[in-house]
């Protein structure tokens, strides 16, 4: 029995606490602490009550030994943090993680993955040396008695790294600004040279993220995705191509470039693909992740946020690339540039890009009423002459639905693109055309549209058109108004030349030049 003696020398008896009592109280505290800790598995929704239990669960149920993964890829503290946050933010499967080969580019190299994907994630608060040095379910890590015991130097180092990253941001911004000035100087030199040659493309891949922000931001709005999904011609053509050709997708690895809401990725998974990787830079990717999980396809569909030109895929090669990249007049927005970049980087030998063939066609338009409303209107506006406005109005290409009965010629294909072989330079081109007139009247405009084909290796071929003479699509048609109508007769041929090139200042927009009836006119599509 222990006694306590106060300063007056009077001794009072202290209550008896045996070693057994102390052990029981400590055990209760420890168990209570462990029960309050919640650790979500990296690869499923299961919640466990300790880090060791979670690691053991990953090993038993998902065949992933995190300590072996760390050793295999020689991850330091920062690499481990990035890996955990990458897996949580992209729904990266255990199978894919285990399949990453030594020395291969790791998909979590971006410093963006230093930011925790899960607030107060216990898996970020363990000591890396302890993780690699102790067996699962044993050693110091097996029984943390409180939250403080789980908070180790790893989290502190992560916070220090984040602070250093913030401090270096200003210096990096200055360097990027200097680089941008040099780029503008180089572009100025290109603009002062002969733009008719194929070289010197203002490649989309060269755009800085801030330069391209407006483009990707536009696809972060839900309305544009609703419009595309409700376009049955577009969406059902992709669906029918995949569902009616399951032999093309069976056990294949598929890359979806610009996946948006992941509708094409999910079609591919349902068609039999063993793995689909969707990539998109816009904010819609986060909704897409929820959509994939809601449809229980996260085991086969992996989504990655970023530009396809910059991200690292979890595989070296893919068998199929799918993408809905088409813009107005087919080439507006230049998203095909990104698809070709993905093709050259990741498509395996014998693989294919879908859609694989595209045509751009022209036809003559005779619509005097619309021409009057758009062009002649400026001759007399409430009694005032505004004809000078024609010079500004005419060069702007108009995207709208045309009435089928306003087409007054047979169509003429001006360019055919094979997405499996085309080069970036071939997306700028010049072509002679001949429009065979079918109705005698004034030609008031030239219309452009495109056709899409899913053909290579398909037992059930699928195609769709954006012609004004078939079911409407959200692409509508692209109309090039003539300032002065051209009288034409049925049976005669209207000959001309069209040149399509990127705007050097904004490679996502187009310049289309017509040399027609002794008049040359350049239109902008932006």
């Amino acid at each position: 029995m222990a006694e306590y003696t106060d300063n007056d020398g009077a001794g009072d008896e202290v209550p008896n606490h045996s070693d057994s009592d102390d052990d029981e109280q400590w055990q209760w505290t420890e168990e209570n602490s462990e029960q309050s800790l919640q650790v979500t598995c990296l690869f499923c929704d299961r919640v466990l009550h300790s880090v060791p239990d979670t690691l053991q669960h990953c090993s038993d149920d998902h065949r992933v030994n995190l300590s072996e993964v760390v050793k295999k890829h020689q991850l330091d503290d920062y690499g481990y943090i990035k890996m955990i946050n990458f897996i949580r933010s992209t729904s990266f499967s255990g199978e894919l993680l285990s399949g990453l080969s030594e020395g291969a580019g790791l998909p979590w190299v971006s410093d963006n993955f230093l930011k925790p994907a899960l607030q107060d994630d216990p898996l970020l608060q363990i000591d890396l040396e302890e993780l690699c040095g102790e067996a699962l379910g044993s050693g110091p890590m097996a029984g943390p008695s409180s939250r403080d015991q789980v908070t180790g130097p790893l989290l502190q180092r992560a916070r220090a790294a984040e602070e250093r990253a913030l401090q270096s941001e200003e210096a990096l911004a200055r360097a990027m600004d200097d680089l941008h000035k040099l780029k503008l100087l180089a572009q100025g030199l290109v603009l002062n040279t002969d733009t008719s040659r194929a070289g010197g493309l203002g490649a989309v891949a060269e755009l800085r993220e801030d330069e391209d922000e407006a483009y990707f931001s536009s696809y972060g709005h839900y309305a544009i995705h609703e419009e595309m999904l409700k376009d049955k011609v577009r969406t059902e053509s992709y669906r029918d191509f995949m569902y009616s050709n399951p032999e093309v997708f069976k056990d294949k690895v598929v890359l979806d470039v610009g996946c948006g809401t992941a509708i094409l990725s999910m079609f591919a998974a349902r068609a039999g693909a063993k793995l689909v990787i969707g990539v998109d830079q816009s904010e819609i990717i986060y909704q897409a992740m929820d959509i994939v999980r809601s449809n229980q396809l996260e085991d086969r569909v992996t989504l990655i946020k970023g530009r396809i030109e910059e991200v690292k895929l979890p595989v070296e090669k893919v068998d199929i690339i799918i993408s809905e990249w088409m813009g107005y007049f087919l080439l507006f927005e230049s998203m095909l540039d990104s698809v070709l970049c993905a093709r050259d980087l990741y498509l395996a030998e014998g693989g294919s890009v879908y859609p694989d063939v595209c045509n751009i066609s022209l036809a003559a338009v005779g619509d005097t009423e619309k021409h009057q409303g758009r062009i002649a209107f400026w001759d007399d506006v409430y009694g005032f002459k505004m004809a000078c406005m024609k010079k500004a109005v005419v060069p702007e290409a108009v995207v709208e639905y045309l009435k089928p009965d306003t087409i007054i010629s047979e169509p003429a294909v001006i360019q055919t693109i094979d997405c499996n072989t085309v080069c970036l330079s071939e997306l700028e081109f010049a072509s002679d055309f001949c429009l065979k007139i079918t109705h005698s009247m004034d030609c008031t405009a030239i219309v452009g549209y495109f056709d899409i084909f899913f053909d290579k290796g398909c037992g059930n071929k699928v195609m769709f058109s954006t012609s004004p003479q078939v079911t409407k699509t959200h692409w509508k048609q692209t109309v090039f108004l003539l300032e002065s109508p051209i009288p034409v007769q049925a049976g005669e041929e209207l000959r001309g030349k069209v040149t399509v090139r990127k705007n050097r200042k904004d490679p996502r927009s187009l310049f289309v030049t017509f040399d027609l009836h002794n008049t040359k006119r350049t239109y902008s599509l932006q």
Side-chain angles (χ1 to χ4, degrees):
M1 180 182 296
E3 288 187 358
Y4 171 74
T5 304
D6 66 9
N7 291 336
D8 293 332
D12 294 320
E13 188 171 280
V14 178
N16 185 358
H17 293 289
S18 68
D19 291 341
S20 175
D21 291 338
D22 289 340
D23 289 343
E24 289 176 3
Q25 184 175 6
W26 175 258
Q27 184 178 0
W28 180 88
T29 305
E30 185 178 55
E31 290 175 353
N32 187 59
S33 174
E34 287 184 357
Q35 289 302 315
S36 67
L37 184 65
Q38 292 189 332
V39 189
T40 303
C41 174
L42 286 170
F43 308 108
C44 67
D45 295 331
R46 184 169 174 183
V47 177
L48 298 102
H49 296 290
S50 74
V51 170
D53 286 350
T54 305
L55 298 179
Q56 190 68 52
H57 164 72
C58 289
S59 178
D60 294 343
D61 290 25
H62 301 287
R63 300 293 185 269
V64 175
N65 186 322
L66 280 184
S67 66
E68 292 302 320
V69 173
V70 170
K71 294 174 184 177
K72 175 181 178 181
H73 298 291
Q74 299 180 348
L75 300 181
D76 57 11
D77 293 337
Y78 305 133
Y80 171 79
I81 292 171
K82 291 178 183 179
M83 177 185 70
I84 297 298
N85 291 326
F86 169 79
I87 294 171
R88 290 210 187 278
S89 60
T90 63
S91 300
F92 202 64
S93 70
E95 181 182 359
L96 288 175
L97 182 63
S98 299
L100 291 175
S101 57
E102 290 185 54
L106 299 176
W108 54 77
V109 293
S110 171
D111 286 344
N112 291 336
F113 294 116
L114 285 171
K115 181 179 179 181
L118 182 66
Q119 193 69 23
D120 296 327
D121 189 346
L123 289 182
L124 294 180
Q125 300 170 4
I126 62 177
D127 189 286
L128 194 58
E129 293 180 1
E130 191 175 294
L131 171 67
C132 295
E134 300 290 340
L136 290 177
S138 65
M141 196 170 56
S145 61
S146 69
R147 193 171 193 82
D148 291 339
Q149 282 186 280
V150 205
T151 304
L154 187 60
L155 183 58
Q156 297 172 7
R157 287 195 288 270
R159 288 170 177 166
E162 188 173 1
E163 289 177 6
R164 287 196 297 273
L166 291 173
Q167 291 169 0
S168 64
E169 190 172 315
E170 185 177 348
L172 178 61
R174 288 196 299 269
M176 292 297 293
D177 187 57
D178 291 341
L179 181 62
H180 184 49
K181 290 176 181 176
L182 288 173
K183 182 179 176 182
L184 291 176
L185 177 62
Q187 287 178 339
L189 294 173
V190 171
L191 288 170
N192 290 326
T193 60
D194 180 11
T195 57
S196 63
R197 56 194 174 89
L201 294 177
V204 167
E206 296 173 1
L207 289 174
R208 294 190 317 178
E209 185 173 336
D210 60 324
E211 292 175 315
D212 222 12
E213 183 179 359
Y215 169 71
F216 288 110
S217 293
S218 68
Y219 282 93
H221 299 291
Y222 306 134
I224 192 170
H225 294 281
E226 181 179 350
E227 180 185 30
M228 291 189 293
L229 290 170
K230 287 182 175 178
D231 184 341
K232 288 191 174 183
V233 172
R234 162 202 181 265
T235 308
E236 292 182 358
S237 293
Y238 276 89
R239 181 201 63 188
D240 293 348
F241 149 62
M242 287 186 256
Y243 284 6
S244 63
N245 294 282
E247 69 282 357
V248 174
F249 288 86
K250 181 175 174 56
D251 296 329
K252 295 295 194 300
V253 177
V254 179
L255 172 61
D256 181 0
V257 179
C259 63
T261 57
I263 185 67
L264 303 189
S265 295
M266 294 188 293
F267 283 158
R270 289 273 175 87
K274 69 176 180 181
L275 171 64
V276 185
I277 304 166
V279 179
D280 204 305
Q281 168 69 346
S282 72
E283 298 298 307
I284 196 68
I285 192 77
Y286 298 116
Q287 278 69 41
M289 291 175 182
D290 289 338
I291 291 170
V292 168
R293 284 191 289 267
S294 297
N295 289 277
Q296 291 82 49
L297 289 171
E298 63 269 27
D299 58 331
R300 281 187 289 161
V301 178
T302 296
L303 301 181
I304 300 174
K305 186 178 188 301
R307 287 162 47 111
I308 190 64
E309 294 86 353
E310 299 169 356
V311 301
K312 293 290 185 182
L313 298 189
V315 296
E316 291 186 3
K317 294 294 179 181
V318 301
D319 304 303
I320 294 172
I321 295 176
I322 55 172
S323 180
E324 194 277 81
W325 53 265
M326 297 80 74
Y328 302 133
F329 198 60
L330 187 67
L331 297 177
F332 177 65
E333 292 184 342
S334 293
M335 189 179 163
L336 180 55
D337 293 26
S338 298
V339 175
L340 299 187
C341 175
R343 179 198 68 185
D344 296 341
L345 287 173
Y346 298 113
L347 189 63
E349 185 176 352
S352 185
V353 178
Y354 292 105
D356 51 313
V357 178
C358 318
N359 288 338
I360 304 177
S361 297
L362 299 178
V365 178
D367 192 339
T368 304
E369 182 180 354
K370 183 165 289 186
H371 189 276
Q372 176 73 26
R374 288 266 176 80
I375 306 299
F377 164 77
W378 299 103
D379 290 330
D380 184 354
V381 182
Y382 298 101
F384 295 96
K385 297 178 181 178
M386 295 190 182
C388 60
M389 285 293 295
K390 293 181 184 180
K391 300 297 182 184
V393 172
V394 172
E396 289 186 355
V398 180
V399 177
E400 63 182 0
Y401 293 117
L402 284 187
K403 297 177 181 178
D405 58 9
T406 62
I407 303 301
I408 60 170
S409 78
E410 296 178 2
V413 175
I414 60 168
Q415 184 74 330
T416 298
I417 296 173
D418 184 334
C419 296
N420 286 295
T421 60
V422 69
C423 298
L424 195 61
S425 61
E426 294 173 332
L427 302 184
E428 292 189 309
F429 61 90
S431 175
D432 295 322
F433 62 86
C434 177
L435 303 178
K436 187 173 181 180
I437 303 300
T438 56
H439 296 79
S440 298
M441 61 186 308
D442 285 348
C443 174
T444 59
I446 302 294
V447 63
Y449 61 90
F450 59 87
D451 304 318
I452 298 298
F453 301 86
F454 301 90
D455 189 273
K456 183 180 176 182
C458 297
N460 296 294
K461 303 181 188 300
V462 175
M463 68 85 60
F464 69 87
S465 176
T466 62
S467 164
Q469 296 176 319
V470 296
T471 305
K472 294 177 180 179
T473 72
H474 78 281
W475 285 287
K476 306 177 184 179
Q477 291 86 42
T478 304
V479 180
F480 307 95
L481 291 167
L482 304 178
E483 184 173 359
S484 301
I486 302 172
V488 292
Q489 297 296 318
E492 74 173 74
E493 295 178 340
L494 183 61
R495 296 181 176 272
K497 182 177 182 178
V498 61
T499 302
V500 178
R501 59 186 175 89
K502 292 185 177 77
N503 180 346
R504 294 300 187 270
K505 294 181 180 179
D506 176 12
R508 291 202 180 275
S509 61
L510 294 176
F511 287 138
V512 182
T513 301
F514 285 94
D515 194 342
L516 182 66
H517 208 253
N518 299 319
T519 301
K520 195 170 186 177
R521 169 76 67 185
T522 296
Y523 300 83
S524 64
L525 191 57
Q526 55 190 359

